[in-house]
Amino acid sequence: MPITVQQFRDFVFAWVRDNGERARRVQLLEWGWEWWLQAELAGNLLAQDSTLDVRREQLVFDGKQRSDLLLNGSSTVPGERIIVELKTLRATEYQKAAFVKEIEADVSKLWNHLKATHRGAQLIVMGFYFDANAPIPGGFQRKEDLHRDLAVCWRDMVVLD
């Protein structure tokens, strides 16, 4: 049975509640924690339900850019496929200044560079940050009461044409 965007979002929120301290430690590493988060989410989804179709680093865009996660990727129904882009904020001034721009770049990538074979897929961009004052892009929702000061922002989209 395919996972839905709402189920994925609920899973992410529960993961943040349960793993906030681990994420806090990892986010301090050089080069940040986005790849770690990608692997953590994929692995934990499969640990909960090994029948889920969870893929990392898939070529769903024009050129060589890859998605962070592709859920339900083998579905023949485009609307069941979910393409996930993740962005993480490290506790550095550079990252704080670039966070919104990097999230907006992921939104643009989804809107403008999705391969025709993935049109109609559900799209979600999620940002993870430890700074309650971190700005987030317009059109994003924010969930801040998950684990101390680890918060998540997200935007759901569908590209139809």
Side-chain angles (χ1 to χ4, degrees):
M1 178 120 179
I3 189 171
T4 67
V5 168
Q6 183 64 52
Q7 289 169 328
F8 176 71
R9 215 180 305 113
D10 290 344
F11 162 79
V12 168
F13 296 157
W15 183 91
V16 167
R17 277 191 297 276
D18 295 342
N19 294 278
E21 288 307 313
R22 289 178 61 227
R24 175 175 292 292
R25 289 188 299 272
V26 171
Q27 66 96 21
L28 296 172
L29 295 172
E30 186 176 12
W31 297 105
W33 55 294
E34 185 173 317
W35 288 349
W36 174 82
L37 178 65
Q38 182 192 99
E40 276 286 307
L41 294 178
N44 280 277
L45 270 172
L46 291 171
Q48 283 188 0
D49 183 349
S50 63
T51 67
L52 290 176
D53 183 0
V54 179
R55 303 171 189 194
R56 295 178 56 214
E57 296 294 324
Q58 296 298 296
L59 291 168
V60 299
F61 301 107
D62 299 327
K64 295 182 180 183
Q65 294 181 343
R66 297 172 184 267
S67 65
D68 290 319
L69 297 173
L70 174 61
L71 309 175
N72 311 322
S74 60
S75 175
T76 57
V77 179
E80 287 183 353
R81 286 185 231 135
I82 303 169
I83 299 170
V84 180
E85 286 296 308
L86 306 171
K87 199 56 63 195
T88 58
L89 172 63
R90 283 188 63 218
T92 65
E93 290 308 311
Y94 165 77
Q95 277 286 321
K96 289 178 185 179
F99 188 57
V100 170
K101 288 180 183 176
E102 290 176 2
I103 291 175
E104 288 172 341
D106 277 350
V107 170
S108 177
K109 182 169 63 170
L110 287 164
W111 278 129
N112 300 312
H113 299 287
L114 199 61
K115 287 182 178 179
T117 54
H118 291 287
R119 300 285 178 180
Q122 298 177 75
L123 315 170
I124 184 169
V125 177
M126 300 187 93
F128 298 79
Y129 51 97
F130 284 95
D131 182 348
N133 297 316
I136 63 170
F140 274 67
Q141 296 179 327
R142 182 188 308 241
K143 185 104 171 126
E144 295 179 333
D145 60 348
L146 297 170
H147 185 276
R148 290 188 8 197
D149 59 344
L150 176 54
V152 179
C153 65
W154 74 92
R155 179 174 174 189
D156 302 337
M157 306 176 290
V158 176
V159 177
L160 295 174
D161 46 30

